[in-house]
Amino acid sequence: MKSRSTRCLALSSLLLPLLVLSAYADSINLGTASGYSVLAGSTVTNTGTSVISGSLGVSPGCALTGAGTMTVGGTTNLCNAVALKAQNDLTTAYLQAQSLKPTGNLTGSDLGGMTLKSGVYLFTSSADIATGTTLTLEGTPGALFVFQIGSSLTTGSGSAVIFVNSLTGKTMTDPNIFWQVGSSATLGTTTAFEGNILALASITLNTGATITCGSALAQTGAVTLQGNTISGCGGTTGVPEPGTMGLLGTGLVILVGAARRRLGL
């Protein structure tokens, strides 16, 4: 007969997928804004060659300059009903992120050089990542990270944000990184950023800055690009639809229950 410890170990291996699924449960819902790499309230300005994988939108403003040297992977919506709906959904997502209960207060701390676990991190004023430093976010695939920033977000030149899969120790992308910014965000030259920036005012990407598995979404102000790349998460790290998660979760619960009975736990 198998020992009790062996049976418990077997059961714990079945519970692991439930733990991974739970990371998806409380994500920020961007609604239709999730399809946008760039969304601005007043104008989008581009200089240099910029590439964005998703859609581009402006509302209630209508201005777009520098489109000739920009590659847009999705659609372009300027001061139309579609862009307005995306802005409304962005506002809802911004308020959702802002309303979450913080799990840590990092006010006055520089994010550069830190390693953070999944959570909601509060800055009552500004937040910074120093020049040449890296912020490491560590968690299971799909882990939720929310940064609540009271005023501005600024990254120094050559800084970076990376996500490390705590199950494998390897870097990968995470679709659930959100930066709720109370005023404006500025990414320094060649910053390698990750996550969705939800800014109340404007967003500026300086020359060569990139956003991986994320977006630049500004409610009232402009988004300024200067030879940048903004890419989505690809097909392997997206958040499952609620119905899919429900079916997976129900199936796993049934499987665990059957395993408990079979293992005599």
Side-chain angles (χ1 to χ4, degrees):
M1 179 180 293
K2 293 182 179 179
S3 68
R4 183 176 179 83
S5 60
T6 301
R7 296 198 299 270
C8 287
L9 180 62
L11 181 61
S12 65
S13 67
L14 292 174
L15 290 172
L16 181 60
L18 284 174
L19 295 176
V20 174
L21 275 177
S22 68
Y24 292 103
D26 300 316
S27 184
I28 304 301
N29 182 8
L30 290 174
T32 60
S34 64
Y36 287 79
S37 292
V38 172
L39 182 62
S42 60
T43 181
V44 172
T45 301
N46 175 63
T47 56
T49 302
S50 294
V51 178
I52 65 173
S53 63
S55 295
L56 180 150
V58 182
S59 179
C62 300
L64 170 61
T65 61
T69 56
M70 184 189 307
T71 300
V72 179
T75 58
T76 297
N77 294 298
L78 304 178
C79 55
N80 59 16
V82 177
L84 177 59
K85 178 63 166 65
Q87 276 289 359
N88 290 337
D89 288 347
L90 170 58
T91 299
T92 300
Y94 179 95
L95 294 174
Q96 180 190 0
Q98 187 180 50
S99 69
L100 295 178
K101 182 179 180 180
T103 58
N105 189 330
L106 298 179
T107 301
S109 301
D110 194 306
L111 285 165
M114 286 189 177
T115 297
L116 299 176
K117 304 294 185 181
S118 176
V120 180
Y121 296 97
L122 173 67
F123 290 83
T124 58
S125 55
S126 61
D128 302 275
I129 303 176
T131 296
T133 62
T134 297
L135 167 64
T136 301
L137 307 178
E138 186 175 79
T140 55
L144 179 65
F145 293 85
V146 177
F147 295 88
Q148 299 171 326
I149 302 168
S151 56
S152 62
L153 168 65
T154 306
T155 71
S157 299
S159 60
V161 177
I162 63 172
F163 175 76
V164 175
N165 183 345
S166 59
L167 300 177
T168 64
K170 297 181 179 180
T171 58
M172 60 178 292
T173 57
D174 181 353
N176 291 325
I177 301 172
F178 298 91
W179 303 81
Q180 176 258 314
V181 182
S183 59
S184 297
T186 302
L187 303 187
T189 303
T190 67
T191 291
F193 198 76
E194 184 163 342
N196 301 283
I197 302 174
L198 284 57
L200 182 60
S202 62
I203 301 172
T204 299
L205 280 68
N206 284 303
T207 304
T210 61
I211 299 177
T212 301
C213 195
S215 54
L217 310 176
Q219 292 184 66
T220 63
V223 175
T224 302
L225 304 177
Q226 302 172 65
N228 310 112
T229 299
I230 303 177
S231 58
C233 299
T236 59
T237 56
V239 180
E241 292 293 328
T244 302
M245 289 192 293
L247 289 172
L248 287 171
T250 302
L252 285 168
V253 169
I254 294 172
L255 179 61
V256 169
R260 283 177 59 88
R261 292 191 296 273
R262 188 175 184 85
L263 294 172
L265 294 174

